């Protein structure tokens, strides 16, 4: 049976797919959402959004263009968003405005509806064997910045790239896209349509294709490079509303308005975007106070946010519910972290509320496993409070942690007073977190902790290679379970830095991918969180901070997507004053 998708909100897809995915023999109960199938193979239009995507009111007069200035706290590591060098919001800001996606997430949601981008429409056929065929119809107007048309061959190139990765290239957060199909032959071209045969009916595939880390790159330009990695602006050929111009490493990255943008000749409204690298917090604060910068860097800390709240010209917001969290990573491939008792002792030994108070001034919550409070997939907060590591009586948990470590040492002879390097990214917040971690571990008897401070690129390489013992870091990612859980908790996940491999967790991940209803999916994920805590996986959440958003009031129609995407359709952003 076939379903047509256009502006259907992704969350609304779940129930409809669930009802129709059970095969022709199952009776389908009609719903008010629209026509229902009466025979196998019938094409049924899906319901339209109950609330249309927001279209901003037209202001009186023309929308001022101007240059939007954005600050980032570290120098971006690259523009290839498929790879680990395009993993963070600072890379998104310099690259995403120059790119388009096959489909995209509507700005402002958590998650937002899936809407067309290069694909003007799509449909899905659910097969009796549990697979699906997703057909995307490409619009004919899109052009690359070099004037060439965007073709279905370009789209297939990107699907092939994340599945059959060229030698010398590592795929990062785009990796989940390739898990939905077995090989590149499952991606087929038919005229102006590209069809992907997926190994599951999971609605997560559409969210994966809309992932911020899966933009469409130019096939010919990328294949012509002497290396498979797209390194900088000189090698980036996009089709987006802004064109990369020039950059100065460690200082600034400039993009200009695409005068021939294919979507609408009146777009974008801005004349350009300038991304400014500001490592020093005092400099970041001064630039926002003096209105030299319009948008604060994406990973605001609490102290800076509190100061921005006092500025009349700034818009400030907080939200809890996305997957950003401080996490202790213990490498399960190495002794002693490969033992349950040691991992449980570390979790028991953490005073999570103290971590939150120091790292986030109390903005947020400690009571989350896999997902934080406020997420549709979260365990009930009252239940989490009763689980090991979350007790109000921390002294009793500290004593149990010491007992577990003593038992392990007696059995193996391991000495927790020996030097234990803790991989630490050279950022103030990471150093602060590592200092706190060392202090708390010393309290339970792990007294040999020392910081192994490295720059971002080195830290990233060692994380991917599992070349560390223990570390504390800030994680983020998409909310969609197929993507978030696969990335961080499943064997071989792109951000499973702790090298966790627990077959029961992997099995539950696959089970939730094929759930027939949203209620069933939530239950499986919650059971997965319970089991993850029972085995005490090596990725231990410490604090789920509220996300801070701050920007100048002159920035109009800016709807930042809280689910790890800062681009937020800057196509329609404009400035109310110079």
């Amino acid at each position: 049976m076939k379903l047509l998708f256009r502006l259907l909100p992704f969350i609304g897809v779940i129930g409809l797919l669930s009802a129709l995915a059970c095969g022709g023999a199952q009776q389908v109960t009609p719903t008010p959402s629209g026509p229902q199938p009466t025979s196998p193979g019938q094409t049924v239009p899906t319901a339209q959004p109950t609330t249309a995507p927001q279209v901003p009111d037209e202001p009186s007069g023309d929308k001022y263009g101007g240059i939007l200035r954005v600050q980032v706290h570290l120098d971006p590591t690259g523009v290839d968003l498929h790879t680990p060098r395009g993993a963070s919001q600072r890379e998104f800001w310099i690259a995403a405005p120059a790119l388009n996606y096959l489909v995209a997430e509507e700005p402002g949601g958590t998650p937002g509806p899936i809407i067309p981008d290069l694909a003007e429409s799509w449909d899905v056929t659910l097969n009796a064997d549990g697979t699906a065929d997703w057909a995307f119809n490409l619009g004919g107007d899109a052009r690359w910045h070099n004037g060439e048309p965007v073709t279905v061959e370009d789209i297939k190139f990107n699907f092939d790239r994340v599945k059959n990765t060229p030698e010398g290239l590592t795929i990062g957060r785009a990796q989940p896209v390739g898990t939905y199909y077995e090989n590149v032959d499952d991606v087929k071209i038919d005229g102006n349509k590209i069809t992907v045969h997926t190994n599951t009916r999971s609605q997560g595939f559409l969210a994966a294709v809309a992932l911020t880390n899966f933009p469409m790159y130019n096939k010919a330009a990328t294949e012509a490079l002497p290396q498979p990695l797209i390194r900088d602006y000189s090698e980036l050929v996009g089709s987006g509303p802004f064109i990369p111009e020039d950059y100065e490493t460690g200082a600034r990255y400039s993009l200009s308005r695409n005068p021939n943008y294919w979507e609408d000749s009146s777009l974008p409204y801005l004349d350009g975007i300038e991304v400014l690298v500001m490592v020093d917090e005092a400099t970041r604060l001064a630039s926002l106070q003096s209105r030299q910068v319009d948008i604060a860097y994406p990973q605001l800390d609490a102290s800076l946010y509190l100061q921005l709240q006092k500025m009349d010209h700034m818009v400030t917001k907080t939200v809890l519910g996305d997957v950003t969290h401080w996490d202790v990573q213990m490498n399960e491939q190495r002794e002693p972290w490969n033992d349950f008792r040691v991992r449980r002792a570390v979790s028991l030994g953490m005073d999570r509320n103290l971590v939150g108070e120091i790292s986030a001034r109390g903005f947020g919550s400690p009571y989350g496993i896999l997902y934080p409070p406020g997420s549709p997939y979260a365990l009930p907060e009252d239940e989490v409070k009763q689980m090991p590591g979350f007790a109000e009586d921390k002294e009793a948990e500290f004593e149990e942690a010491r007992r577990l470590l003593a038992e392990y040492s007696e059995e193996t002879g391991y000495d927790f007073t020996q030097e234990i390097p803790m991989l630490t990214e050279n950022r103030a917040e990471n150093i602060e977190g590592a200092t706190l971690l060392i202090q708390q571990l010393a309290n339970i008897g792990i007294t040999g902790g020392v910081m192994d401070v490295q720059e971002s690129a080195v830290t990233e390489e060692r994380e991917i290679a599992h070349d560390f013992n223990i570390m504390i870091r800030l994680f983020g990612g998409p909310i969609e379970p197929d993507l978030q859980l696969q990335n961080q908790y499943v064997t071989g996940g792109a951000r499973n830095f702790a090298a966790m491999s627990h077959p029961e967790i992997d099995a539950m991940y696959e089970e939730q991918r094929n759930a027939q209803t949203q209620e069933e999916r939530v239950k499986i994920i919650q059971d997965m969180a319970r089991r993850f805590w029972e085995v005490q996986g090596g990725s231990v959440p410490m604090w789920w901070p509220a996300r801070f958003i701050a920007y100048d009031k002159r920035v109009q129609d800016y709807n930042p997507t809280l689910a790890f995407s800062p681009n937020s359709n800057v196509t329609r952003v404009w400035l109310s004053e110079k």
Side-chain angles (χ1 to χ4, degrees), residues 542-560:
M542 304 304 300
W543 185 261
W544 303 83
R547 293 291 297 276
F548 302 124
I549 297 169
Y551 56 93
D552 196 292
K553 289 181 178 178
R554 66 187 169 200
V555 180
Q556 302 295 308
D557 297 337
Y558 175 58
N559 297 302

Side-chain angles (χ1 to χ4, degrees), residues 27 105 266 288 331 423 475:
Q27 182 179 356
E105 183 179 294
S266 68
L288 291 163
N331 188 348
L423 183 61
F475 269 92

Side-chain angles (χ1 to χ4, degrees), residues 386-460:
Q386 304 304 312
M387 299 172 79
F390 299 96
E392 290 185 10
D393 185 358
K394 287 306 300 180
E395 285 303 323
E397 291 199 328
F398 294 158
E399 282 304 315
E400 174 63 8
R402 295 178 188 116
R403 186 194 69 77
L404 289 170
L405 293 176
E407 178 183 293
Y408 178 82
S409 291
E410 183 177 353
E411 181 180 307
T412 65
Y414 190 88
D415 182 7
F416 285 103
T417 67
Q418 66 180 299
E419 183 174 289
I420 302 175
M422 298 187 178
L423 183 61
T424 307
E425 186 176 352
N426 190 16
R427 294 167 53 185
E429 56 265 41
N430 289 61
I431 291 173
E432 184 178 57
T435 301
L436 181 60
L437 176 61
I438 289 170
Q439 292 171 348
Q440 296 206 354
L441 292 181
N443 179 52
I444 60 172
I446 303 177
T447 58
V450 294
M451 275 187 280
D452 177 12
V453 180
Q454 301 289 342
E455 296 303 319
S456 298
V458 175
T459 303
E460 180 182 277

